[in-house]
Amino acid sequence: MPAGTLYRGREGMWSWVAHRVTGVLIFFFLFVHVLDTALVRVSPEAYDDVVSTYKTPIVALLEYGLVAAILFHALNGLRIVAVDFWAKGPRVQKQMLWAVLGIWIVLMVGALYPVLGHAVREVFGS
């Protein structure tokens, strides 16, 4: 193989993998959400039972993970659009990825307080 033709799996590959993984996670959440919401038509009592199991600290952390997945998927999707449709996009795709990660981290740190507050209130009471 000639030098320089082997894909080395740098930032572009990891953003590709993360985009696919977050997309699959979001899909499975939506699938479960549709199923548990449809349960209200079958048995409102069963629906209430299922929804009551969601009011736990572990589910609060899973919701935080869902927000993380949706936010990364959305921001990275905008980066992909910029790479595809902006003339300078391919040349600055690595810098845009680092910007996406920076924005994602700042927003996720900001979202951590309400989630942790909710989890602490659930464990220790208001």
Side-chain angles (χ1 to χ4, degrees), residues 30-63:
L30 289 172
F31 181 72
V32 170
H33 180 64
V34 167
L35 288 178
D36 70 8
T37 303
L39 190 58
V40 77
R41 303 277 291 161
V42 176
S43 169
E45 296 80 22
Y47 172 79
D48 290 340
D49 291 342
V50 168
V51 170
S52 69
T53 64
Y54 294 160
K55 297 176 182 174
T56 65
I58 291 173
V59 173
L61 292 176
L62 290 173
E63 288 173 344

